[in-house]
Structures are given as C-alpha cells and as structure tokens.
PDB file of all heavy atoms in Angstrom:
ATOM      1  N   PHE A   1      34.281  78.245  42.852  1.00  0.00           N
ATOM      2  CA  PHE A   1      34.536  79.596  43.343  1.00  0.00           C
ATOM      3  C   PHE A   1      34.122  80.644  42.305  1.00  0.00           C
ATOM      4  O   PHE A   1      33.614  81.709  42.659  1.00  0.00           O
ATOM      5  CB  PHE A   1      36.001  79.764  43.760  1.00  0.00           C
ATOM      6  CG  PHE A   1      36.271  79.310  45.166  1.00  0.00           C
ATOM      7  CD1 PHE A   1      36.467  77.959  45.447  1.00  0.00           C
ATOM      8  CD2 PHE A   1      36.301  80.214  46.218  1.00  0.00           C
ATOM      9  CE1 PHE A   1      36.695  77.527  46.745  1.00  0.00           C
ATOM     10  CE2 PHE A   1      36.537  79.794  47.522  1.00  0.00           C
ATOM     11  CZ  PHE A   1      36.730  78.441  47.790  1.00  0.00           C
ATOM     12  N   GLU A   2      34.302  80.344  41.014  1.00  0.00           N
ATOM     13  CA  GLU A   2      33.853  81.250  39.953  1.00  0.00           C
ATOM     14  C   GLU A   2      32.322  81.375  39.982  1.00  0.00           C
ATOM     15  O   GLU A   2      31.781  82.470  39.835  1.00  0.00           O
ATOM     16  CB  GLU A   2      34.324  80.773  38.578  1.00  0.00           C
ATOM     17  CG  GLU A   2      35.799  80.999  38.319  1.00  0.00           C
ATOM     18  CD  GLU A   2      36.204  82.462  38.406  1.00  0.00           C
ATOM     19  OE1 GLU A   2      35.511  83.330  37.828  1.00  0.00           O
ATOM     20  OE2 GLU A   2      37.224  82.751  39.077  1.00  0.00           O
ATOM     21  N   LEU A   3      31.633  80.252  40.147  1.00  0.00           N
ATOM     22  CA  LEU A   3      30.173  80.284  40.244  1.00  0.00           C
ATOM     23  C   LEU A   3      29.736  81.186  41.395  1.00  0.00           C
ATOM     24  O   LEU A   3      28.814  81.988  41.242  1.00  0.00           O
ATOM     25  CB  LEU A   3      29.623  78.867  40.445  1.00  0.00           C
ATOM     26  CG  LEU A   3      28.116  78.774  40.732  1.00  0.00           C
ATOM     27  CD1 LEU A   3      27.311  79.163  39.498  1.00  0.00           C
ATOM     28  CD2 LEU A   3      27.746  77.380  41.213  1.00  0.00           C
ATOM     29  N   GLN A   4      30.404  81.079  42.521  1.00  0.00           N
ATOM     30  CA  GLN A   4      30.009  81.843  43.705  1.00  0.00           C
ATOM     31  C   GLN A   4      30.218  83.356  43.522  1.00  0.00           C
ATOM     32  O   GLN A   4      29.628  84.143  44.255  1.00  0.00           O
ATOM     33  CB  GLN A   4      30.757  81.344  44.945  1.00  0.00           C
ATOM     34  CG  GLN A   4      30.320  79.968  45.397  1.00  0.00           C
ATOM     35  CD  GLN A   4      28.960  79.959  46.087  1.00  0.00           C
ATOM     36  OE1 GLN A   4      28.309  80.986  46.273  1.00  0.00           O
ATOM     37  NE2 GLN A   4      28.511  78.783  46.484  1.00  0.00           N
ATOM     38  N   LYS A   5      30.995  83.764  42.543  1.00  0.00           N
ATOM     39  CA  LYS A   5      31.146  85.188  42.229  1.00  0.00           C
ATOM     40  C   LYS A   5      29.899  85.730  41.526  1.00  0.00           C
ATOM     41  O   LYS A   5      29.698  86.932  41.444  1.00  0.00           O
ATOM     42  CB  LYS A   5      32.366  85.423  41.341  1.00  0.00           C
ATOM     43  CG  LYS A   5      33.681  85.185  42.050  1.00  0.00           C
ATOM     44  CD  LYS A   5      34.838  85.367  41.082  1.00  0.00           C
ATOM     45  CE  LYS A   5      36.156  85.033  41.750  1.00  0.00           C
ATOM     46  NZ  LYS A   5      37.282  85.124  40.794  1.00  0.00           N
ATOM     47  N   LEU A   6      29.057  84.820  41.003  1.00  0.00           N
ATOM     48  CA  LEU A   6      27.852  85.217  40.254  1.00  0.00           C
ATOM     49  C   LEU A   6      26.610  85.296  41.137  1.00  0.00           C
ATOM     50  O   LEU A   6      25.544  85.685  40.671  1.00  0.00           O
ATOM     51  CB  LEU A   6      27.606  84.213  39.113  1.00  0.00           C
ATOM     52  CG  LEU A   6      28.747  84.062  38.116  1.00  0.00           C
ATOM     53  CD1 LEU A   6      28.428  82.954  37.120  1.00  0.00           C
ATOM     54  CD2 LEU A   6      29.013  85.381  37.404  1.00  0.00           C
ATOM     55  N   GLY A   7      26.717  84.901  42.382  1.00  0.00           N
ATOM     56  CA  GLY A   7      25.575  84.912  43.289  1.00  0.00           C
ATOM     57  C   GLY A   7      25.903  84.119  44.534  1.00  0.00           C
ATOM     58  O   GLY A   7      27.057  83.750  44.761  1.00  0.00           O
ATOM     59  N   GLU A   8      24.880  83.865  45.334  1.00  0.00           N
ATOM     60  CA  GLU A   8      25.070  83.060  46.546  1.00  0.00           C
ATOM     61  C   GLU A   8      24.392  81.714  46.340  1.00  0.00           C
ATOM     62  O   GLU A   8      23.173  81.632  46.276  1.00  0.00           O
ATOM     63  CB  GLU A   8      24.510  83.791  47.760  1.00  0.00           C
ATOM     64  CG  GLU A   8      25.307  85.034  48.087  1.00  0.00           C
ATOM     65  CD  GLU A   8      24.966  85.616  49.442  1.00  0.00           C
ATOM     66  OE1 GLU A   8      24.128  85.042  50.173  1.00  0.00           O
ATOM     67  OE2 GLU A   8      25.558  86.651  49.769  1.00  0.00           O
ATOM     68  N   PHE A   9      25.195  80.675  46.248  1.00  0.00           N
ATOM     69  CA  PHE A   9      24.722  79.332  45.972  1.00  0.00           C
ATOM     70  C   PHE A   9      25.058  78.403  47.137  1.00  0.00           C
ATOM     71  O   PHE A   9      26.050  78.606  47.833  1.00  0.00           O
ATOM     72  CB  PHE A   9      25.368  78.800  44.681  1.00  0.00           C
ATOM     73  CG  PHE A   9      25.086  79.648  43.474  1.00  0.00           C
ATOM     74  CD1 PHE A   9      25.948  80.673  43.101  1.00  0.00           C
ATOM     75  CD2 PHE A   9      23.935  79.441  42.719  1.00  0.00           C
ATOM     76  CE1 PHE A   9      25.683  81.464  41.992  1.00  0.00           C
ATOM     77  CE2 PHE A   9      23.670  80.226  41.610  1.00  0.00           C
ATOM     78  CZ  PHE A   9      24.537  81.239  41.245  1.00  0.00           C
ATOM     79  N   ASP A  10      24.243  77.379  47.319  1.00  0.00           N
ATOM     80  CA  ASP A  10      24.475  76.353  48.343  1.00  0.00           C
ATOM     81  C   ASP A  10      24.589  76.930  49.752  1.00  0.00           C
ATOM     82  O   ASP A  10      25.474  76.573  50.524  1.00  0.00           O
ATOM     83  CB  ASP A  10      25.711  75.502  48.012  1.00  0.00           C
ATOM     84  CG  ASP A  10      25.524  74.639  46.785  1.00  0.00           C
ATOM     85  OD1 ASP A  10      24.368  74.389  46.405  1.00  0.00           O
ATOM     86  OD2 ASP A  10      26.542  74.213  46.208  1.00  0.00           O
ATOM     87  N   THR A  11      23.643  77.782  50.114  1.00  0.00           N
ATOM     88  CA  THR A  11      23.624  78.335  51.468  1.00  0.00           C
ATOM     89  C   THR A  11      22.969  77.383  52.467  1.00  0.00           C
ATOM     90  O   THR A  11      23.090  77.577  53.674  1.00  0.00           O
ATOM     91  CB  THR A  11      22.869  79.677  51.500  1.00  0.00           C
ATOM     92  OG1 THR A  11      21.535  79.467  51.014  1.00  0.00           O
ATOM     93  CG2 THR A  11      23.577  80.727  50.646  1.00  0.00           C
ATOM     94  N   LYS A  12      22.275  76.362  51.975  1.00  0.00           N
ATOM     95  CA  LYS A  12      21.619  75.377  52.842  1.00  0.00           C
ATOM     96  C   LYS A  12      22.037  73.946  52.525  1.00  0.00           C
ATOM     97  O   LYS A  12      21.728  73.036  53.282  1.00  0.00           O
ATOM     98  CB  LYS A  12      20.102  75.480  52.698  1.00  0.00           C
ATOM     99  CG  LYS A  12      19.551  76.816  53.122  1.00  0.00           C
ATOM    100  CD  LYS A  12      18.075  76.916  52.852  1.00  0.00           C
ATOM    101  CE  LYS A  12      17.591  78.308  53.223  1.00  0.00           C
ATOM    102  NZ  LYS A  12      16.267  78.584  52.739  1.00  0.00           N
ATOM    103  N   ARG A  13      22.682  73.745  51.397  1.00  0.00           N
ATOM    104  CA  ARG A  13      23.097  72.415  50.971  1.00  0.00           C
ATOM    105  C   ARG A  13      24.550  72.485  50.553  1.00  0.00           C
ATOM    106  O   ARG A  13      25.173  73.538  50.617  1.00  0.00           O
ATOM    107  CB  ARG A  13      22.224  71.945  49.803  1.00  0.00           C
ATOM    108  CG  ARG A  13      20.755  71.871  50.173  1.00  0.00           C
ATOM    109  CD  ARG A  13      19.930  71.513  48.978  1.00  0.00           C
ATOM    110  NE  ARG A  13      19.220  70.287  49.296  1.00  0.00           N
ATOM    111  CZ  ARG A  13      18.546  69.580  48.437  1.00  0.00           C
ATOM    112  NH1 ARG A  13      18.481  69.942  47.177  1.00  0.00           N
ATOM    113  NH2 ARG A  13      17.919  68.493  48.803  1.00  0.00           N
ATOM    114  N   SER A  14      25.098  71.374  50.070  1.00  0.00           N
ATOM    115  CA  SER A  14      26.488  71.349  49.612  1.00  0.00           C
ATOM    116  C   SER A  14      26.594  70.530  48.331  1.00  0.00           C
ATOM    117  O   SER A  14      25.690  69.771  47.997  1.00  0.00           O
ATOM    118  CB  SER A  14      27.403  70.771  50.696  1.00  0.00           C
ATOM    119  OG  SER A  14      27.020  69.446  51.018  1.00  0.00           O
ATOM    120  N   SER A  15      27.709  70.717  47.627  1.00  0.00           N
ATOM    121  CA  SER A  15      27.922  70.058  46.331  1.00  0.00           C
ATOM    122  C   SER A  15      29.277  69.365  46.301  1.00  0.00           C
ATOM    123  O   SER A  15      30.303  69.985  46.612  1.00  0.00           O
ATOM    124  CB  SER A  15      27.891  71.094  45.200  1.00  0.00           C
ATOM    125  OG  SER A  15      26.627  71.702  45.078  1.00  0.00           O
ATOM    126  N   TRP A  16      29.270  68.076  45.898  1.00  0.00           N
ATOM    127  CA  TRP A  16      30.531  67.393  45.636  1.00  0.00           C
ATOM    128  C   TRP A  16      31.246  68.154  44.522  1.00  0.00           C
ATOM    129  O   TRP A  16      30.604  68.661  43.593  1.00  0.00           O
ATOM    130  CB  TRP A  16      30.297  65.976  45.135  1.00  0.00           C
ATOM    131  CG  TRP A  16      29.828  64.958  46.125  1.00  0.00           C
ATOM    132  CD1 TRP A  16      28.637  64.298  46.095  1.00  0.00           C
ATOM    133  CD2 TRP A  16      30.537  64.421  47.245  1.00  0.00           C
ATOM    134  NE1 TRP A  16      28.563  63.392  47.133  1.00  0.00           N
ATOM    135  CE2 TRP A  16      29.719  63.457  47.860  1.00  0.00           C
ATOM    136  CE3 TRP A  16      31.799  64.681  47.798  1.00  0.00           C
ATOM    137  CZ2 TRP A  16      30.110  62.742  48.981  1.00  0.00           C
ATOM    138  CZ3 TRP A  16      32.192  63.970  48.924  1.00  0.00           C
ATOM    139  CH2 TRP A  16      31.355  63.016  49.504  1.00  0.00           C
ATOM    140  N   ILE A  17      32.562  68.227  44.573  1.00  0.00           N
ATOM    141  CA  ILE A  17      33.356  68.820  43.492  1.00  0.00           C
ATOM    142  C   ILE A  17      34.405  67.802  43.039  1.00  0.00           C
ATOM    143  O   ILE A  17      34.688  66.838  43.747  1.00  0.00           O
ATOM    144  CB  ILE A  17      34.035  70.149  43.903  1.00  0.00           C
ATOM    145  CG1 ILE A  17      34.988  69.937  45.086  1.00  0.00           C
ATOM    146  CG2 ILE A  17      32.980  71.218  44.199  1.00  0.00           C
ATOM    147  CD1 ILE A  17      35.883  71.140  45.373  1.00  0.00           C
ATOM    148  N   LYS A  18      34.963  68.033  41.855  1.00  0.00           N
ATOM    149  CA  LYS A  18      35.993  67.140  41.327  1.00  0.00           C
ATOM    150  C   LYS A  18      37.158  67.114  42.319  1.00  0.00           C
ATOM    151  O   LYS A  18      37.683  68.157  42.703  1.00  0.00           O
ATOM    152  CB  LYS A  18      36.463  67.630  39.956  1.00  0.00           C
ATOM    153  CG  LYS A  18      37.277  66.614  39.209  1.00  0.00           C
ATOM    154  CD  LYS A  18      37.631  67.079  37.825  1.00  0.00           C
ATOM    155  CE  LYS A  18      36.405  67.015  36.927  1.00  0.00           C
ATOM    156  NZ  LYS A  18      36.727  67.303  35.532  1.00  0.00           N
ATOM    157  N   THR A  19      37.512  65.932  42.733  1.00  0.00           N
ATOM    158  CA  THR A  19      38.508  65.750  43.785  1.00  0.00           C
ATOM    159  C   THR A  19      39.847  65.301  43.204  1.00  0.00           C
ATOM    160  O   THR A  19      39.882  64.380  42.385  1.00  0.00           O
ATOM    161  CB  THR A  19      37.988  64.710  44.805  1.00  0.00           C
ATOM    162  OG1 THR A  19      36.764  65.209  45.372  1.00  0.00           O
ATOM    163  CG2 THR A  19      38.986  64.460  45.913  1.00  0.00           C
ATOM    164  N   PRO A  20      40.947  65.930  43.621  1.00  0.00           N
ATOM    165  CA  PRO A  20      42.269  65.526  43.132  1.00  0.00           C
ATOM    166  C   PRO A  20      42.574  64.059  43.462  1.00  0.00           C
ATOM    167  O   PRO A  20      42.167  63.537  44.499  1.00  0.00           O
ATOM    168  CB  PRO A  20      43.232  66.459  43.882  1.00  0.00           C
ATOM    169  CG  PRO A  20      42.396  67.642  44.262  1.00  0.00           C
ATOM    170  CD  PRO A  20      41.018  67.090  44.519  1.00  0.00           C
ATOM    171  N   ALA A  21      43.331  63.406  42.582  1.00  0.00           N
ATOM    172  CA  ALA A  21      43.654  61.984  42.715  1.00  0.00           C
ATOM    173  C   ALA A  21      44.326  61.662  44.044  1.00  0.00           C
ATOM    174  O   ALA A  21      44.031  60.634  44.660  1.00  0.00           O
ATOM    175  CB  ALA A  21      44.540  61.540  41.546  1.00  0.00           C
ATOM    176  N   GLU A  22      45.202  62.539  44.524  1.00  0.00           N
ATOM    177  CA  GLU A  22      45.917  62.240  45.770  1.00  0.00           C
ATOM    178  C   GLU A  22      44.977  62.185  46.977  1.00  0.00           C
ATOM    179  O   GLU A  22      45.207  61.424  47.911  1.00  0.00           O
ATOM    180  CB  GLU A  22      47.077  63.217  46.015  1.00  0.00           C
ATOM    181  CG  GLU A  22      46.706  64.671  46.131  1.00  0.00           C
ATOM    182  CD  GLU A  22      46.663  65.435  44.810  1.00  0.00           C
ATOM    183  OE1 GLU A  22      46.698  64.801  43.731  1.00  0.00           O
ATOM    184  OE2 GLU A  22      46.569  66.673  44.859  1.00  0.00           O
ATOM    185  N   ILE A  23      43.893  62.932  46.936  1.00  0.00           N
ATOM    186  CA  ILE A  23      42.894  62.871  48.016  1.00  0.00           C
ATOM    187  C   ILE A  23      42.037  61.617  47.859  1.00  0.00           C
ATOM    188  O   ILE A  23      41.747  60.919  48.824  1.00  0.00           O
ATOM    189  CB  ILE A  23      42.039  64.148  48.037  1.00  0.00           C
ATOM    190  CG1 ILE A  23      42.907  65.344  48.429  1.00  0.00           C
ATOM    191  CG2 ILE A  23      40.852  64.000  49.002  1.00  0.00           C
ATOM    192  CD1 ILE A  23      42.226  66.696  48.319  1.00  0.00           C
ATOM    193  N   ARG A  24      41.657  61.296  46.615  1.00  0.00           N
ATOM    194  CA  ARG A  24      40.866  60.093  46.366  1.00  0.00           C
ATOM    195  C   ARG A  24      41.627  58.830  46.752  1.00  0.00           C
ATOM    196  O   ARG A  24      41.052  57.892  47.294  1.00  0.00           O
ATOM    197  CB  ARG A  24      40.447  60.012  44.881  1.00  0.00           C
ATOM    198  CG  ARG A  24      39.263  60.835  44.529  1.00  0.00           C
ATOM    199  CD  ARG A  24      37.995  60.442  45.295  1.00  0.00           C
ATOM    200  NE  ARG A  24      37.646  59.051  45.062  1.00  0.00           N
ATOM    201  CZ  ARG A  24      37.630  58.101  45.981  1.00  0.00           C
ATOM    202  NH1 ARG A  24      37.903  58.346  47.227  1.00  0.00           N
ATOM    203  NH2 ARG A  24      37.301  56.856  45.655  1.00  0.00           N
ATOM    204  N   GLU A  25      42.929  58.805  46.499  1.00  0.00           N
ATOM    205  CA  GLU A  25      43.739  57.640  46.844  1.00  0.00           C
ATOM    206  C   GLU A  25      43.733  57.366  48.345  1.00  0.00           C
ATOM    207  O   GLU A  25      43.919  56.231  48.778  1.00  0.00           O
ATOM    208  CB  GLU A  25      45.178  57.821  46.344  1.00  0.00           C
ATOM    209  CG  GLU A  25      45.282  57.700  44.839  1.00  0.00           C
ATOM    210  CD  GLU A  25      46.635  58.133  44.293  1.00  0.00           C
ATOM    211  OE1 GLU A  25      47.581  58.351  45.089  1.00  0.00           O
ATOM    212  OE2 GLU A  25      46.733  58.264  43.065  1.00  0.00           O
ATOM    213  N   LEU A  26      43.485  58.393  49.136  1.00  0.00           N
ATOM    214  CA  LEU A  26      43.419  58.255  50.593  1.00  0.00           C
ATOM    215  C   LEU A  26      41.991  58.010  51.079  1.00  0.00           C
ATOM    216  O   LEU A  26      41.747  57.944  52.280  1.00  0.00           O
ATOM    217  CB  LEU A  26      44.007  59.503  51.260  1.00  0.00           C
ATOM    218  CG  LEU A  26      45.489  59.750  50.975  1.00  0.00           C
ATOM    219  CD1 LEU A  26      45.922  61.109  51.497  1.00  0.00           C
ATOM    220  CD2 LEU A  26      46.341  58.631  51.567  1.00  0.00           C
ATOM    221  N   GLY A  27      41.038  57.890  50.134  1.00  0.00           N
ATOM    222  CA  GLY A  27      39.650  57.581  50.488  1.00  0.00           C
ATOM    223  C   GLY A  27      38.748  58.785  50.682  1.00  0.00           C
ATOM    224  O   GLY A  27      37.577  58.640  51.024  1.00  0.00           O
ATOM    225  N   GLY A  28      39.271  59.974  50.451  1.00  0.00           N
ATOM    226  CA  GLY A  28      38.488  61.186  50.664  1.00  0.00           C
ATOM    227  C   GLY A  28      37.910  61.772  49.393  1.00  0.00           C
ATOM    228  O   GLY A  28      38.260  61.367  48.285  1.00  0.00           O
ATOM    229  N   ALA A  29      37.003  62.718  49.582  1.00  0.00           N
ATOM    230  CA  ALA A  29      36.422  63.486  48.481  1.00  0.00           C
ATOM    231  C   ALA A  29      36.065  64.868  49.005  1.00  0.00           C
ATOM    232  O   ALA A  29      35.827  65.051  50.202  1.00  0.00           O
ATOM    233  CB  ALA A  29      35.191  62.786  47.920  1.00  0.00           C
ATOM    234  N   LEU A  30      36.034  65.847  48.108  1.00  0.00           N
ATOM    235  CA  LEU A  30      35.785  67.233  48.492  1.00  0.00           C
ATOM    236  C   LEU A  30      34.375  67.684  48.132  1.00  0.00           C
ATOM    237  O   LEU A  30      33.794  67.215  47.159  1.00  0.00           O
ATOM    238  CB  LEU A  30      36.785  68.155  47.796  1.00  0.00           C
ATOM    239  CG  LEU A  30      38.261  67.887  48.074  1.00  0.00           C
ATOM    240  CD1 LEU A  30      39.118  68.859  47.272  1.00  0.00           C
ATOM    241  CD2 LEU A  30      38.572  67.978  49.554  1.00  0.00           C
ATOM    242  N   TYR A  31      33.874  68.610  48.919  1.00  0.00           N
ATOM    243  CA  TYR A  31      32.595  69.262  48.635  1.00  0.00           C
ATOM    244  C   TYR A  31      32.741  70.737  48.987  1.00  0.00           C
ATOM    245  O   TYR A  31      33.677  71.139  49.700  1.00  0.00           O
ATOM    246  CB  TYR A  31      31.447  68.618  49.414  1.00  0.00           C
ATOM    247  CG  TYR A  31      31.519  68.823  50.904  1.00  0.00           C
ATOM    248  CD1 TYR A  31      30.924  69.936  51.507  1.00  0.00           C
ATOM    249  CD2 TYR A  31      32.189  67.928  51.716  1.00  0.00           C
ATOM    250  CE1 TYR A  31      30.998  70.131  52.874  1.00  0.00           C
ATOM    251  CE2 TYR A  31      32.270  68.113  53.085  1.00  0.00           C
ATOM    252  CZ  TYR A  31      31.671  69.220  53.658  1.00  0.00           C
ATOM    253  OH  TYR A  31      31.755  69.427  55.012  1.00  0.00           O
ATOM    254  N   CYS A  32      31.825  71.547  48.490  1.00  0.00           N
ATOM    255  CA  CYS A  32      31.823  72.977  48.779  1.00  0.00           C
ATOM    256  C   CYS A  32      30.425  73.427  49.167  1.00  0.00           C
ATOM    257  O   CYS A  32      29.428  72.809  48.791  1.00  0.00           O
ATOM    258  CB  CYS A  32      32.255  73.785  47.551  1.00  0.00           C
ATOM    259  SG  CYS A  32      33.990  73.634  47.117  1.00  0.00           S
ATOM    260  N   ASP A  33      30.388  74.536  49.894  1.00  0.00           N
ATOM    261  CA  ASP A  33      29.134  75.213  50.208  1.00  0.00           C
ATOM    262  C   ASP A  33      29.442  76.653  50.607  1.00  0.00           C
ATOM    263  O   ASP A  33      30.605  77.051  50.664  1.00  0.00           O
ATOM    264  CB  ASP A  33      28.344  74.480  51.303  1.00  0.00           C
ATOM    265  CG  ASP A  33      29.115  74.283  52.596  1.00  0.00           C
ATOM    266  OD1 ASP A  33      30.071  75.026  52.873  1.00  0.00           O
ATOM    267  OD2 ASP A  33      28.742  73.362  53.348  1.00  0.00           O
TER     268      ASP A  33
END
C-alpha cells in the first residue's frame, strides 16, 4: 500500500505479498493489484 502511494503499479498484473501464518495454515496466500 505504501508503494501504491508513489504511483500506479500492477494495473494489469498482480503480486504475491507476505501472507500471515494463519492464512497459510489454511492453505491460502495473498496477492495485491
């Protein structure tokens, strides 16, 4: 979110982000765009 304050990024693609352990334990992972 700090990066996105500096410009417009990932308007056509997405990026995996560091995922909290409780989400990983359930088999999930987070991404942003």
Side-chain angles (χ1 to χ4, degrees):
F1 275 82
E2 286 301 314
L3 173 69
Q4 290 286 359
K5 291 177 184 176
L6 302 175
E8 292 192 2
F9 301 92
D10 293 340
T11 58
K12 298 175 183 168
R13 300 176 121 190
S14 60
S15 296
W16 287 117
I17 60 169
K18 193 175 286 187
T19 300
E22 60 272 12
I23 293 173
R24 279 299 302 116
E25 288 169 10
L26 297 171
L30 301 178
Y31 67 89
C32 290
D33 57 23

